[in-house]
Amino acid sequence: MLTVHHLNNSRSQRVLWLLEELGVPYEIVRYQRQPDMRAPKELRAIHPLGKSPVVTDNGNTIAESGAILEYIIATYGNGRLIPRADTPERLRYTYWLHYAEGSAMTPLLLKLLFTLMPKRAPALLRPLVRKVSNQALSTLVNPQLKQHMAYWEGELGKSEWFAGSEFSGADIQMSFPLEAAAARGGLEDGHPRCVAFLERIHARPAYARALEKGGPYEVGR
């Protein structure tokens, strides 16, 4: 049986959601973040990088969210949650599947990093670190994040879902950047289509079932 090595409050929540959408039986091995929010060292026994998500299935160990989604949909999807080959929707699907981690998450991670740095700096250095962090946020990170959010808003104006008129794995993959942007990027300000997208995915029964099994999920908060 497929096993999800699930870290709380992490991207592995998307994997549980995908499996619930497809009705694939699976087991969960749970890992809790350490006080510094890092994954525990036990995950390194599953994959050398010690990151989540990781799934094991039929002797295979698969890491990276996009690769995991591709594997599960190809192995268990039977044509579900993926547009037909040689269609414009399939090309969009592939793009969003890779864009989510390849481009969208970079400014969001930098936003988190520069927000946390002043809080974790030694007291004497805190004013300087705060000044540097605020400068980086205002001149580099926030403008990039604003550009990405405007891009999402425009693309969701073309179709209800990211790859077209049908819900797909691309929407599951894109859920994490949008949820992170809602938590710490100001997504609610001027991006009504993005907010509506989050409302639609949160209303899906499979999303709710994945939350029940995965535990509390507060991206970026």
Side-chain angles (χ1 to χ4, degrees):
M1 181 179 290
L2 188 148
T3 299
V4 180
H5 297 271
H6 175 61
L7 180 67
N8 66 305
N9 264 342
S10 77
R11 292 162 169 81
S12 61
Q13 188 64 38
R14 284 184 297 196
V15 179
L16 301 182
W17 177 20
L18 171 63
L19 292 166
E20 290 294 331
E21 290 281 358
L22 294 174
V24 178
Y26 63 94
E27 295 177 340
I28 301 177
V29 177
R30 301 178 187 277
Y31 303 83
Q32 289 295 123
R33 290 185 181 275
Q34 301 176 99
D36 61 4
M37 296 305 293
R38 295 180 182 179
K41 62 182 180 180
E42 287 79 8
L43 263 172
R44 293 181 187 172
I46 309 303
H47 189 277
L49 293 180
K51 304 290 186 180
S52 181
V54 178
V55 303
T56 51
D57 185 44
N58 292 324
N60 300 307
T61 299
I62 308 103
E64 291 295 335
S65 301
I68 291 170
L69 263 67
E70 286 193 271
Y71 171 82
I72 292 173
I73 290 173
T75 306
Y76 298 103
N78 296 317
R80 293 172 292 169
L81 299 186
I82 184 170
R84 289 185 298 106
D86 300 320
T87 63
E89 290 79 10
R90 182 63 165 266
L91 184 59
R92 289 181 67 186
Y93 167 90
T94 302
Y95 170 77
W96 292 112
L97 208 64
H98 292 274
Y99 163 88
E101 293 292 336
S103 295
M105 284 305 300
T106 301
L108 287 161
L109 289 171
L110 288 172
K111 176 88 171 182
L112 179 61
L113 174 65
F114 284 115
T115 301
L116 290 176
M117 279 175 59
K119 301 175 183 178
R120 297 187 177 183
L124 289 176
L125 295 177
R126 201 164 295 154
L128 176 61
V129 174
R130 182 178 293 109
K131 182 178 180 180
V132 172
S133 295
N134 288 342
Q135 182 72 10
L137 286 169
S138 62
T139 61
L140 175 65
V141 178
N142 289 338
Q144 285 193 21
L145 184 52
K146 184 177 180 180
Q147 184 179 19
H148 280 277
M149 292 190 295
Y151 175 48
W152 306 338
E153 184 72 11
E155 291 298 304
L156 288 172
K158 299 176 182 179
S159 58
E160 183 178 13
W161 301 105
F162 275 101
S165 60
E166 300 292 330
F167 174 79
S168 74
D171 300 297
I172 294 176
Q173 182 74 336
M174 281 297 296
S175 67
F176 194 87
L178 267 73
E179 287 180 321
R184 59 178 179 263
L187 186 71
E188 293 89 346
D189 184 15
H191 306 96
R193 296 190 188 101
C194 292
V195 172
F197 170 86
L198 290 178
E199 291 173 349
R200 288 196 300 276
I201 65 171
H202 293 164
R204 295 183 71 86
Y207 185 97
R209 292 195 301 272
L211 280 182
E212 290 176 5
K213 295 183 179 180
Y217 178 58
E218 297 178 348
V219 177
R221 291 182 173 83

